[in-house]
Amino acid sequence: RNKTKSIFIVVFLILNVFLYWQYLSAYNDAQRVQLLSEKKIESILQDEKISYKALPENISEAPYISAKAKKYNLSELPNPESVHYKLTTETSIQAILSKPVSFGKNITALKLNEFLEQYVYEGSQFKLWEINEEQRTATFFQIVNNHLLYYNVNGYVKVHWNSKNEVFMYEHAMIEKIEPLKQKKIIAPL
């Protein structure tokens, strides 16, 4: 019986030492997190070797907007004789060109913008965000009140081209019935 008591005492002593060690570890981690949050974001980015371009200043407020995803009617889309449209959902389309549009040796922002103006429904409402040479795509986002709506699944155009720099297809979705709501404070870009 005494052996059993001794074994329990030793086991509980080991358990207490282990739990105390866990507590100290968690406490020290919390202290490190607290110290990191006291650092300025610029210092943290610099420590992590993250660089960024000049960011806009003095943007303190902007309006929230209310909008609806456009539901497409295939008969209202431009160039039906040279573009085959397919609804991927009721609010997005895939457009396959009957004859690919050649961009020559280089895909440039100017050529892509001209393509949007000529072939894409409401193409002037979109602005180039990224050209990905590796994937052979260019992504455009919708402009609302002179502001780009970044990564909005209901406001983009994605242009695809082949290895001969010929655009053969694009994806399209947009928002409509845009109404500004009340002004809200904006989190600083940094």
Side-chain angles (χ1 to χ4, degrees):
R1 188 173 173 155
N2 282 339
K3 282 185 175 181
T4 307
K5 282 184 183 179
S6 297
I7 291 173
F8 272 117
I9 290 171
V10 170
V11 167
F12 281 118
L13 183 62
I14 292 171
L15 179 63
N16 282 339
V17 169
F18 174 74
L19 290 174
Y20 183 69
W21 177 74
Q22 288 286 76
Y23 168 76
L24 284 179
S25 177
Y27 179 79
N28 288 335
D29 287 346
Q31 294 292 56
R32 276 190 233 119
V33 168
Q34 199 171 33
L35 287 174
L36 280 177
S37 66
E38 292 171 4
K39 262 182 147 177
K40 292 232 178 246
I41 189 73
E42 294 93 342
S43 300
I44 294 170
L45 292 173
Q46 190 174 20
D47 291 347
E48 296 292 328
K49 295 180 177 52
I50 298 172
S51 61
Y52 53 91
K53 296 179 183 174
L55 300 171
E57 294 180 27
N58 300 329
I59 300 177
S60 59
E61 289 188 344
Y64 269 122
I65 61 168
S66 171
K68 297 199 182 288
K70 176 164 183 55
K71 292 184 180 179
Y72 288 97
N73 177 351
L74 295 180
S75 64
E76 70 184 11
L77 297 170
N79 306 319
E81 63 284 342
S82 60
V83 182
H84 172 71
Y85 296 103
K86 175 182 164 189
L87 287 172
T88 50
T89 67
E90 69 177 4
T91 60
S92 65
I93 58 171
Q94 184 179 60
I96 300 170
L97 303 174
S98 302
K99 182 180 177 190
V101 176
S102 178
F103 277 32
K105 290 184 179 183
N106 296 319
I107 299 283
T108 64
L110 180 63
K111 290 176 184 177
L112 285 163
N113 285 321
E114 288 173 359
F115 173 81
L116 245 63
E117 290 287 331
Q118 187 174 354
Y119 289 94
V120 177
Y121 176 71
E122 299 290 341
S124 62
Q125 289 191 31
F126 295 86
K127 184 175 181 186
L128 181 63
W129 171 251
E130 173 187 51
I131 298 175
N132 186 325
E133 296 283 345
E134 192 173 294
Q135 294 181 358
R136 295 189 188 114
T137 62
T139 305
F140 295 78
F141 292 123
Q142 192 168 355
I143 301 169
V144 174
N145 299 333
N146 294 324
H147 296 287
L148 221 50
L149 298 181
Y150 298 101
Y151 297 98
N152 185 332
V153 296
N154 293 316
Y156 77 98
V157 171
K158 189 171 222 172
V159 177
H160 300 264
W161 61 87
N162 60 25
S163 59
K164 298 176 191 174
N165 287 345
E166 297 172 330
V167 173
F168 64 92
M169 180 186 95
Y170 65 87
E171 302 165 46
H172 188 280
M174 65 185 295
I175 59 173
E176 62 182 0
K177 299 180 183 169
I178 301 162
E179 297 176 22
L181 301 175
K182 64 183 179 176
Q183 295 281 106
K184 290 284 187 175
K185 286 192 178 219
I186 294 182
I187 297 171
L190 192 55

